[in-house]
Amino acid sequence: MEPLITNKEGGVFFITLNRPDFLNAINRDLLSALSSALHEADAPDVRAVVIKGMGRAFCAGQDLKEASAGKLDYEKHLELYNEVFLQIRRLEKPVIAGVHGVAAGAGMSLALAADLRLLSYSASFITAFARIGLAPDTGITATLPRLVGMGKAFELLALSPEINAVQALELGLANRLVSDDEFEETLIRWSTEIANGPTLVYGLVKRALNSNRATTLEEAVALEAELQGIAGGSRDHQEGLAAFLEGRKPRFQGR
Ligand code: LHQ
């Protein structure tokens, strides 16, 4: 069975983790397939990316059977995880994690690397690292405190409580929460809507939020001006202005 399935519908590139018998735990094959899929997602006709899991979970993190076989050099292995994390963050188009069932360890890191999270009521998050005596990885120390603040991030990373879907929404770990029945349809509808939006600007929003250069107010406004220079020269901005003046809905193309 392929560890990962991809398909494209309209401008949306769907990436489905496909090891349902192991709650989509990540082994080497899945990790490298994920990296290849994210390369593919860089194509100009892809305007939004969805990452989701097959079966009853989003992803249970590193495959612990592979880890316990004793052949993994963790520091070296993390280079592969880090590459995937950076691919998601550097992809200048919206990445949506569709989380139903559990997202644990590096599976939670993966969900938090995305720009938006749609959850179903069956979703839950467990950082899980400390539970098995590991430090947090795959970018979660950069994403989690930005979403929930330092104090909560420490609690979640150190004490590893299970966070249910409602708690996740309250904490800011979810953008939207829907019933299990509505989940698939909402994921398709929402990602398609997003893919039809001004995706060039979405990419610039991502670049600005990613930036660690903006450490002072002066740097923040300078970066905003640089990015606005790019957006201001785009076709989508022309279309947005025209649509406003003509009193109609804009038809964005992502360029
Ligand atoms: C699994 C896994 C799994 C293999 C469920 N692996 N089979 C670490 C090391 C090195 C470098 C890179 O980075 C990392 C980062 C990490 O990701 S560390 C954190 C790793 N993940 C975990 O510690 C979570 C382990 N899993 C669990 O705690 C539970 O399975 C959860 C709470 C996720 C779900 O519990 P249940 O709903 O009760 O399901 P289950 O435990 O019965 O699992 C179903 C099957 O999936 C079962 O197999 P079986 O053959 O018995 O049906 C599990 O063995 C398998 N599975 N997680 N990570």
Side-chain angles (χ1 to χ4, degrees):
M1 192 157 76
E2 291 299 319
L4 189 130
I5 299 167
T6 61
N7 65 296
K8 201 156 66 144
E9 277 168 45
V12 186
F13 190 74
F14 290 88
I15 299 176
T16 307
L17 313 178
N18 189 36
R19 301 187 72 221
D21 292 347
F22 311 99
L23 307 185
N24 302 315
I26 302 169
N27 62 7
R28 241 176 224 285
D29 287 349
L30 175 50
L31 201 51
S32 75
L34 190 50
S35 182
S36 305
L38 289 163
H39 272 298
E40 244 185 276
D42 212 3
D45 61 333
V46 173
R47 294 178 60 197
V49 178
V50 167
I51 303 177
K52 63 195 180 90
M54 186 67 86
R56 70 172 172 94
F58 177 74
C59 174
Q62 165 65 34
D63 185 326
L64 294 180
K65 286 162 196 152
E66 183 182 66
S68 63
K71 288 188 195 127
L72 279 189
D73 173 337
Y74 279 17
E75 191 173 347
K76 199 110 204 80
H77 197 50
L78 273 176
E79 286 174 16
L80 304 174
Y81 275 93
N82 290 351
E83 179 57 27
V84 164
F85 171 75
L86 293 172
Q87 278 179 287
I88 295 172
R89 293 307 317 149
R90 286 176 182 151
L91 200 59
E92 290 201 349
K93 46 188 95 179
V95 178
I96 302 145
V99 183
H100 76 286
V102 68
M108 178 169 174
S109 305
L110 203 57
L112 299 195
D115 301 295
L116 296 164
R117 278 155 294 282
L118 173 73
L119 267 56
S120 81
Y121 276 92
S122 69
S124 64
F125 288 112
I126 317 172
T127 62
F129 304 97
R131 283 192 184 189
I132 54 165
L134 281 180
D137 64 29
T138 316
I140 199 167
T141 60
T143 52
L144 186 63
R146 288 181 176 194
L147 289 165
V148 302
M150 285 284 272
K152 200 70 194 174
F154 182 87
E155 180 193 337
L156 300 192
L157 290 170
L159 310 181
S160 234
E162 182 173 343
I163 305 294
N164 66 33
V166 173
Q167 292 167 325
L169 185 70
E170 282 165 359
L171 278 172
L173 293 175
N175 298 87
R176 293 184 65 180
L177 174 58
V178 294
S179 71
D180 290 341
D181 289 347
E182 291 170 304
F183 178 70
E184 280 291 334
E185 194 217 314
T186 309
L187 192 55
I188 294 169
R189 191 164 19 87
W190 197 32
S191 57
T192 305
E193 264 170 40
I194 288 168
N196 288 327
T199 44
L200 176 96
V201 171
Y202 298 163
L204 298 179
V205 170
K206 188 163 176 173
R207 199 192 305 177
L209 293 178
N210 270 345
S211 174
N212 287 325
R213 282 186 291 153
T215 50
T216 64
L217 295 177
E218 288 74 14
E219 284 167 336
V221 291
L223 179 64
E224 284 176 6
E226 182 188 325
L227 300 183
Q228 201 60 290
I230 300 173
S234 72
R235 289 199 191 177
D236 278 354
H237 180 52
Q238 288 309 312
E239 168 63 8
L241 288 179
F244 174 74
L245 295 174
E246 291 161 25
R248 61 170 173 83
K249 271 188 149 188
R251 289 179 294 272
F252 293 120
Q253 295 173 14
R255 54 204 170 101

